[in-house]
Amino acid sequence: MTSLSPCQLPASVAILGSTGSVGRQALEVAEYHHIPVDFISAHSSVDLLEQQVRRFHPRLCAVADEKAAADLRTRIADTPTRVLAGSEGVLAGVGETDAPVVVNAILGEAGLLPTLAVIDAGRRLALANKESLVVAGREVMRRARERGVEILPVDSEHCAIFQCLQAGCKHEVRSLLLTASGGPFFGYSREQLSRVTRAETLAHPTWQMGAKITVDSATLMNKGFELIEAACLFGLPAEAVTVVVQRQSIIHSMVEYIDNTVIAQLSVPDMRDCVQYALTYPARAEGLTPPLDFFSLGRLTFDRPDLETFVLLPLAAHAYSLGGAVPAVLNAANEEAVAAFLADRLHLTDIFDIVCETVEEYSSTAARVETLDGILATAREARLAARRRADQRAH
Ligand code: MG
C-alpha cells in the first residue's frame, strides 16, 4: 500500500492585519500547522502586536501608525524582530518578506496598495481584504493576470465558489449562487430597522467577526461587496451572481453549471478553514474546525433577500455595472456612515440613505474615471461628502 504524500505547506507566511479577526485566525492556522511566520503588520494595536511578536517570532513587523511603531520598537527591543513604520513600512515589508504566501487581512480601503504590492512581488495572495476588489477590482485582476499571481479568496463565499469551480470549466458556468446568512435583521421592515440599536446590530447570528463587517452584514452591504468581489474574481457580470439567503451559514456558496447541476461547498462556519485552504491549495490538510454533523443540523433553509428594504445590495450590483470609480464611492460612503453608526451618532437606516445619496451624487462623474489615481481621488471626495451627510444627520 502506498502512503499518502504529506500536504504541501508553505515554507512560511506573512499576515497583514494580524491583530484583526481574520489575522488572528490566520495566526492560529499557522501555529497549528507549524508554519513559520515571517512578517506581520497591523494598524496600531501595540499590546496585541507585542504578544504576537513574542509568540510567533516574525523577522519583520510593520505598524502603519508611526507613533505606535515607535512604541512597539521600544517594547520589543529585546527581540530580533525588526519594526517597520508607516503605511510605507507595510509596503516595504511586503517587498522584503520571503514568504511565498501573503494573507491580506487589512480592513478597508487601506488594504488596496498592499494587495497591489503583493501582486507586484509575485507572491500568492490570500485575499481577505474585500475592498481591494470593490475599489479597484479590474486593476487588481489585470495585474495578477499579467504577473501570473494566484489570488486565493479568504472570504467564506468566495473560497466556496473557488472550490465549486473546480468541478467544471468557466464556459460551462451559468451562475454563481452567493449565499447570505441574512444577518440579525432578516425579515425586518424598514420601519423596524430604523429602531435597532448598535448592540443588536453587533450580535451576528452565525459568524464571529469584527465590528465593521458585522454592521455591513446587518445592512447586507457586505453581501453587495461580496457580489462585486465575486464578479471581479471570477470574471462574470453582476447579473450572473444570484444571492440566496441560507440562514444556517452551512452552505457557503454554490455554482450552477449549464447542465443544471449545482455544486455546493458546505462546512461549519469558521474562517480558519478558508485561510487554511488558501495556504495549502491545491492540497488539503487536516482542519482545525469540527466536521459537519448533518444529523444534529436537521434542515437547511433557502430564502430570497428583500431587495426593497435592504437597498444596499442591489445598489452594489448597480455600482459594479456602472464601473469606473462608482464601486469605490460606494465603499467610501459606507465606511464613513458605518464609522458614525459605530460611534452611536446615527440610526442604522441613516447608513442606507447616506450611501444611496452619495452614490447618486457621484455616479455620472465617477463612472467615467479609469485610472487608479483617479479612482482613489474620487473616493476621497465621496468620503468627505458622506462625512458631511453623517454630520448633518447625527443625533
Ligand atoms: Mg463573507
Side-chain angles (χ1 to χ4, degrees), residues 130 155-157 226:
K130 57 187 73 183
D155 195 343
S156 61
E157 295 78 1
E226 290 184 348

Side-chain angles (χ1 to χ4, degrees), residues 11 13 103 109 123 188 203 219 255 264 343 349 370 392:
V13 64
V103 179
E109 199 192 288
R123 314 279 172 194
Y188 279 39
T219 60
V255 173
T349 42
E370 280 171 10
Q392 281 161 11

Side-chain angles (χ1 to χ4, degrees), residues 95-234:
E96 241 186 271
T97 182
D98 47 23
V101 187
V102 181
V103 179
N104 182 356
I106 293 173
L107 181 68
E109 199 192 288
L112 172 60
L113 294 181
T115 281
L116 294 173
V118 174
I119 293 171
D120 290 344
R123 314 279 172 194
R124 174 186 287 185
L125 173 61
L127 185 60
N129 174 263
K130 57 187 73 183
E131 292 82 359
S132 293
L133 293 172
V134 172
V135 172
R138 288 174 174 96
E139 173 70 13
V140 167
M141 297 311 292
R142 187 185 61 76
R143 274 208 222 183
R145 258 192 318 275
E146 271 175 23
R147 315 263 160 150
V149 164
E150 289 175 312
I151 299 181
L152 274 286
V154 182
D155 195 343
S156 61
E157 295 78 1
H158 306 80
C159 176
I161 293 170
F162 186 88
Q163 294 181 59
C164 296
L165 285 173
Q166 287 163 51
C169 297
K170 190 178 163 192
H171 69 272
E172 297 163 347
V173 172
R174 180 180 295 138
S175 68
L176 308 180
L177 301 162
L178 187 70
T179 56
S181 71
F185 308 133
F186 177 69
Y188 279 39
S189 66
R190 162 97 192 186
E191 208 275 317
Q192 286 172 303
L193 282 176
S194 68
R195 285 184 274 112
V196 301
T197 65
R198 182 177 177 278
E200 287 165 339
T201 307
L202 290 179
H204 195 276
T206 49
W207 289 98
Q208 291 294 315
M209 306 174 289
K212 158 76 169 50
I213 188 171
T214 305
V215 175
D216 288 346
S217 297
T219 60
L220 295 202
M221 182 73 270
N222 181 55
K223 207 49 59 182
F225 288 152
E226 290 184 348
L227 185 153
I228 296 176
E229 212 184 336
C232 275
L233 270 171
F234 306 113

